[in-house]
Amino acid sequence: MPMSQAQLNTQIDTENVSAGKIRAFFIGLFLLCACTLMYEVILTRLLSVVSWYYLAFVSVSMAMFGMTAGALLVQLRPAFFLKEMLPMRLYQAVLAMGASMPLALLIMLAIPVGISLALQSLISFLLFSSVVAVPFFFSGVAVCIALTKMPLPRGRVYFVDLTGAALGCLGAVGLLSIFDAPSAIFAISAVLFLSAAAFAVYAQRPRLRRNCQIAAASMLMVACLNASTVHGIQPIWSKGALDRRDHIYAEVWNSISRVRVSDSLLGEPQMWGPSPDMPVFQVDGMGLDIDNDAATYMLHFTGDLSTLQFLRYDVTSIGAEVRHGGTAAIIGVGGGRDVLNCAANGFTRIVGIEVNSAIVKLTSRRLDSYSGFSKIPGFVLYNDEGRNFLARSGERFDLIQASLVDTWAATTAGAMTLSENSLYTVDGWRVFYDHLKPGGVITFSRWYGGSQDNQTYRLFSVAWATLLSEGVADPSRQLVLIHSGGIATLLASNQPFSPADIDALKKLSTEMEFTPLFLPGEPVTVPEFRRVSQSRTLADMASLQDANGADYSPTFDSSPYFFNSIHIRALPKFLSHHGPVSSLQADLCLFAFFLSAIVLVIAVIALPAWIALKQPSQRSPAPKGAIAYFVSIGLGFMCVEMGMMQQLSIFLGPPVYSMVVVLAGLILSTGVGSFVSDRWPASATWQLRILPAAGAALVLLYLALVLPVIHAYTAALLWQRVLICLALITPPGFMLGFCFPIGLRWMAAIHQEHNLPWMWALNGAAGTLGSFVAMLISMETSIGTCVLTAAAFYLLAALVPLPRRMEMNREGASC
């Protein structure tokens, strides 16, 4: 088949570039894309410390925004990106990214991010978002040049782009196992200077390469020095408050959270739900703080169980009192309070399960002489996620306990999920239920008081729905709820509580002055608990909510957002009754960032593009079909990515596994699809339409399979679950990888090469806001609806109007 003129020009250009230069170009691009993803992932860790766990999405959105703005610069300033300038422009863009990243870090850590009822609050969010996006801007310039202007096969370039991004996820986890998050960003800057050195080779500037290598070595030294002290470059504003960073005994970062240990202090013990009649005790303990918000307490335990009597005065301890002397599984060991309480109550075997490896290492290894974990009789500690561990375990327990398990910590996947979300669903509770001995008890504790009541209402609803799903005709006989000091503890058994159990609970409540909220056979005075207890089917429970719009219907794996009980549609009504309560700070921060993203997209992308389109030009405007196509696949891919990360994190357990397997697997399979797309013939319109349509079909197939598969294989070993996830992710990811490069080929075939950067920018703009859209859809409806929306966007891309005749063939496809 004869070659087109465009293909002939590409072949001549490629032959004029030496193999060494091409190799340097791909090395530079690989490192650049890996660093871009590492920066994005590590930002989720910083955002979780300075703000709230929802805002893992902000790093995704700002990455898309910054890279889109960079692509738009390439579109609007063509004279600055002439063919002969491109090698140096690549070098300069990557060099600027490497230099701007440490500066952006210094500025962002000094900006307080918090909610105030003043316009200045929005200005703070705008400033923070803008600073975060600067390094992504320079990445966008470089990647856009590589994808749209280089004389190399676009599928191959896109494959290297996505492969680097996929392996960047692994790199981020590796960096966080060595450095704290700020120091890791300095290390990423060092790698960026190495990327710039590779592009200097491509530009044939050996002296610049040496300078970049020196800068890389210097930045790595800064990273090591900063990691050697807790008083270096660190966040000083957290959750809207100044972090004085004093009295720090130890501080450890990992991919799940930042854990800080405070100096040992002798004083009154930290209690969650204390008895009003509690005597005065003096204990020696250390505070463990997680992401400057959630806290746990580590007692100095010498092996003497008689020193732990004060623990029985906490309402979280009643489960161990009721099942005295049995076997227990403690989910979320933290500093070990629940473990010590079980030991004090004579439990012969105590299995501790803690998802956070930093806490495990601190309590059981580095500080074991203080925590005394090795001295607790019958205690064994596992670093694992509670639900997955129990699903794999063949052991049954008299007590399964989780007290106030919530860290508000962002997952490295940036997936809008807490690791704890898998614990607070009916599907999760059925796993716990199956691992009880006859008469065994599940006991969970949540906040109860004021605006926090919704947590206990929903916990009670989850327990009630679990018993209904297990075929229990009257769940009221198997539930107990007791309250004290702002905490409510729920007990759920797989058998009706015996009269002796109820007498013991009444006696304990009287002795400790606890308040029973729900006891078998007793009148129910709280309207919300009464409404739940009147439900006889799961369908009855689907619409449970209070007068202010707070949702306390049971949560399932299809929508595991236990902590999000206030829907957006009810937010104004709830705020009018309660004001901006602490439980809504994350939601309000989310909206502030969303507004900031909208303002930035309008100001930096939409407005400049509109002005440019109004200028007289000899170039033809982009076809409307192209605009619809690139916007649709941008929104569609973001909904797929978010939906997969949220759903499969429940299956994989620790968030680090979800991030590595889901993000890296999806990006890598998409990259393979992009690489193969160079061989796809696209000489007819149907050959273009079939690709996004096939992608939509595979997305729907994924949606149909995901929940049945993960429920069927919950007890599989980790490596087996990883393979199952990859089997679910890879087919749709591979097919979706065709869509972007095929779109670029389509633009080239209809002589719209000059609009390629503009299409890239539109795709990125859709992704900027698409991450928020995907999250809101999942929270307001379900994760499945989010994935369905993704399929709809890809179907829309398949139906966009195309030119009647297209001069495109397989040989000319890689122009």
Side-chain angles (χ1 to χ4, degrees):
M1 186 177 294
M3 289 189 293
S4 66
Q5 183 62 43
Q7 182 191 3
L8 182 60
N9 291 339
T10 298
Q11 182 179 3
I12 293 172
D13 288 340
T14 304
E15 289 172 354
N16 289 335
V17 179
S18 68
K21 288 178 61 179
I22 293 177
R23 187 182 307 112
F25 168 83
F26 282 120
I27 291 173
L29 180 63
F30 178 87
L31 293 176
L32 165 65
C33 296
C35 288
T36 301
L37 258 291
M38 285 192 286
Y39 177 53
E40 181 180 333
V41 167
I42 290 174
L43 272 179
T44 66
R45 282 280 71 252
L46 284 172
L47 284 165
S48 185
V49 173
V50 303
S51 191
W52 302 85
Y53 74 90
Y54 296 104
L55 304 181
F57 273 82
V58 174
S59 65
V60 178
S61 180
M62 288 303 100
M64 298 299 296
F65 164 73
M67 297 186 73
T68 298
L72 190 60
L73 176 67
V74 178
Q75 164 69 13
L76 298 182
R77 292 292 182 267
F80 197 66
F81 297 96
L82 297 176
K83 180 179 176 180
E84 61 274 12
M85 299 177 180
L86 295 180
M88 276 302 295
R89 293 292 181 255
L90 278 171
Y91 162 78
Q92 291 165 348
V94 177
L95 184 68
M97 185 182 181
S100 67
M101 193 172 287
L103 297 176
L105 173 70
L106 295 176
I107 296 171
M108 78 172 77
L109 294 185
I111 300 173
V113 179
I115 292 295
S116 171
L117 300 180
L119 182 61
Q120 181 59 34
S121 181
L122 180 59
I123 303 302
S124 296
F125 280 88
L126 275 170
L127 179 59
F128 188 91
S129 300
S130 301
V131 170
V132 166
V134 169
F136 291 120
F137 169 81
F138 293 114
S139 175
V141 171
V143 174
C144 186
I145 291 172
L147 283 174
T148 65
K149 291 186 173 293
M150 300 310 296
L152 295 166
R154 290 198 179 96
R156 191 174 306 168
V157 174
Y158 196 45
F159 171 72
V160 173
D161 175 336
L162 295 182
T163 302
L167 295 182
C169 298
L170 292 169
V173 176
L175 283 177
L176 287 173
S177 67
I178 301 172
F179 298 112
D180 55 85
S183 300
I185 288 182
F186 288 123
I188 295 170
S189 177
V191 180
L192 280 168
F193 283 122
L194 293 179
S195 174
F199 283 120
V201 172
Y202 182 70
Q204 296 181 310
R205 301 292 183 92
R207 188 167 65 88
L208 296 179
R209 180 192 63 181
R210 289 192 295 272
N211 293 341
C212 289
Q213 290 170 339
I214 293 171
S218 301
M219 197 57 64
L220 183 60
M221 185 179 300
V222 171
C224 294
L225 290 173
N226 193 65
S228 66
T229 174
V230 296
H231 300 294
I233 305 299
Q234 295 291 336
I236 60 173
W237 291 99
S238 180
K239 312 296 191 288
L242 180 67
D243 180 3
R244 298 188 178 278
R245 298 191 61 78
D246 53 0
H247 304 294
I248 300 176
Y249 182 86
E251 188 173 81
V252 179
W253 292 71
N254 64 3
S255 57
I256 297 177
S257 67
R258 184 189 71 180
V259 180
R260 178 186 296 172
V261 183
S262 61
D263 292 332
S264 176
L265 182 66
L266 180 65
E268 293 186 7
Q270 182 185 34
M271 306 292 283
W272 301 123
S275 163
D277 197 35
M278 177 179 172
V280 175
F281 291 94
Q282 292 288 307
V283 299
D284 187 8
M286 287 180 166
L288 273 70
D289 176 86
I290 304 167
D291 282 350
N292 275 63
D293 181 68
T296 182
Y297 195 67
M298 181 172 63
L299 295 167
H300 183 198
F301 179 61
T302 61
D304 184 1
L305 295 175
S306 66
T307 62
L308 304 175
Q309 289 303 307
F310 69 92
L311 290 175
R312 68 187 303 265
Y313 289 88
D314 199 307
V315 74
T316 62
S317 303
I318 57 176
E321 294 270 344
V322 171
R323 291 295 177 264
H324 182 93
T327 61
I330 306 299
I331 300 173
V333 170
R337 283 170 46 96
D338 291 341
V339 172
L340 291 171
N341 181 58
C342 285
N345 278 280
F347 279 71
T348 57
R349 175 168 167 77
I350 308 169
V351 175
I353 312 160
E354 172 58 56
V355 70
N356 196 325
S357 60
I359 292 179
V360 171
K361 291 175 182 177
L362 283 168
T363 56
S364 65
R365 301 174 193 172
R366 181 173 174 180
L367 299 176
D368 178 67
S369 60
Y370 189 91
S371 68
F373 274 18
S374 60
K375 300 182 180 70
I376 301 174
F379 175 52
V380 57
L381 178 61
Y382 294 94
N383 180 198
D384 209 332
E385 192 276 324
R387 173 175 167 179
N388 287 107
F389 176 87
L390 290 174
R392 298 192 307 273
S393 171
E395 191 171 0
R396 297 179 183 272
F397 300 91
D398 295 292
L399 180 72
I400 297 176
Q401 181 170 355
S403 301
L404 299 167
V405 180
D406 60 71
T407 64
W408 305 97
T411 69
T412 49
M416 210 331 263
T417 54
L418 289 170
S419 60
E420 293 84 9
N421 266 345
S422 65
L423 304 179
Y424 293 98
T425 68
V426 173
D427 306 279
W429 271 56
R430 294 189 70 178
V431 173
F432 308 147
Y433 190 91
D434 288 342
H435 286 78
L436 291 176
K437 292 180 179 179
V441 169
I442 304 168
T443 173
F444 274 51
S445 299
R446 291 305 316 161
W447 302 103
Y448 184 74
S451 62
Q452 306 281 20
D453 289 354
N454 296 329
Q455 293 190 21
T456 296
Y457 298 156
R458 178 160 266 187
L459 182 68
F460 187 77
S461 181
V462 167
W464 192 276
T466 300
L467 293 173
L468 287 178
S469 66
E470 290 290 335
V472 177
D474 183 10
S476 66
R477 301 172 60 201
Q478 297 173 215
L479 291 176
V480 169
L481 186 63
I482 298 179
H483 161 246
S484 182
I487 300 295
T489 294
L490 175 68
L491 285 72
S493 179
N494 57 3
Q495 291 181 356
F497 284 100
S498 67
D501 288 333
I502 296 173
D503 288 342
L505 288 165
K506 288 181 177 179
K507 180 179 178 181
L508 181 63
S509 298
T510 301
E511 178 188 355
M512 297 294 176
E513 297 186 38
F514 294 157
T515 304
L517 298 173
F518 189 93
L519 282 174
E522 299 288 328
V524 184
T525 59
V526 180
E528 288 79 7
F529 299 131
R530 185 165 56 248
R531 280 197 64 193
V532 173
S533 65
Q534 291 170 349
S535 302
R536 287 296 174 264
T537 66
L538 295 178
D540 294 340
M541 307 184 71
S543 60
L544 290 172
Q545 62 181 24
D546 67 16
N548 295 328
D551 183 359
Y552 54 91
S553 60
T555 47
F556 295 83
D557 283 354
S558 58
S559 185
Y561 304 112
F562 175 88
F563 297 96
N564 305 103
S565 59
I566 311 299
H567 289 290
I568 295 171
R569 57 185 177 272
L571 195 56
K573 187 175 182 180
F574 187 86
L575 288 174
S576 67
H577 285 77
H578 297 281
V581 296
S582 59
S583 61
L584 292 177
Q585 289 297 310
D587 302 71
L588 297 175
C589 285
L590 164 65
F591 279 106
F593 270 115
F594 192 17
L595 289 175
S596 300
I598 292 173
V599 170
L600 289 172
V601 166
I602 292 173
V604 180
I605 297 174
L607 187 59
W610 182 80
I611 293 173
L613 290 174
K614 291 295 182 181
Q615 300 299 319
S617 174
Q618 300 298 319
R619 294 182 172 184
S620 59
K624 293 180 180 179
I627 294 173
Y629 179 89
F630 282 98
V631 169
S632 295
I633 64 173
L635 290 170
F637 187 81
M638 192 57 64
C639 288
V640 168
E641 182 181 19
M642 297 301 108
M644 285 182 172
M645 288 192 294
Q646 293 170 94
Q647 196 74 82
L648 294 177
S649 64
I650 292 175
F651 183 47
L652 290 169
V656 64
Y657 299 155
S658 174
M659 186 278 293
V660 171
V661 176
V662 178
L663 261 185
L666 181 61
I667 292 173
L668 190 58
S669 61
T670 304
V672 173
S674 173
F675 181 74
V676 176
S677 72
D678 276 342
R679 298 180 176 274
W680 177 259
S683 57
T685 299
W686 71 267
Q687 292 171 328
L688 298 181
R689 294 192 186 280
I690 195 173
L691 294 171
L698 288 174
V699 168
L700 292 175
L701 179 62
Y702 160 84
L703 179 60
L705 292 176
V706 60
L707 282 177
V709 167
I710 66 177
H711 288 159
Y713 293 98
T714 301
L717 297 175
L718 176 60
W719 67 268
Q720 294 170 328
R721 284 180 282 139
V722 168
L723 291 179
I724 291 168
C725 283
L726 291 176
L728 289 168
I729 294 167
T730 300
F734 174 78
M735 186 56 64
L736 299 182
F738 280 71
C739 297
F740 187 79
I742 284 292
L744 298 181
R745 288 167 56 189
W746 169 38
M747 293 292 289
I750 60 176
H751 309 295
Q752 288 283 329
E753 293 92 338
H754 57 280
N755 278 316
L756 287 180
W758 173 232
M759 295 301 100
W760 200 88
L762 280 174
N763 181 263
T768 299
L769 302 180
S771 61
F772 291 99
V773 171
M775 179 193 62
L776 294 175
I777 291 172
S778 294
M779 290 170 58
E780 286 296 293
T781 56
S782 68
I783 298 173
T785 304
C786 179
V787 178
L788 276 174
T789 303
F793 279 125
Y794 277 101
L795 284 175
L796 177 61
L799 298 175
V800 296
L802 298 174
R804 290 177 179 272
R805 185 173 179 178
M806 302 186 61
E807 298 177 0
M808 183 182 292
N809 52 49
R810 177 174 175 178
E811 287 76 16
S814 60
C815 63

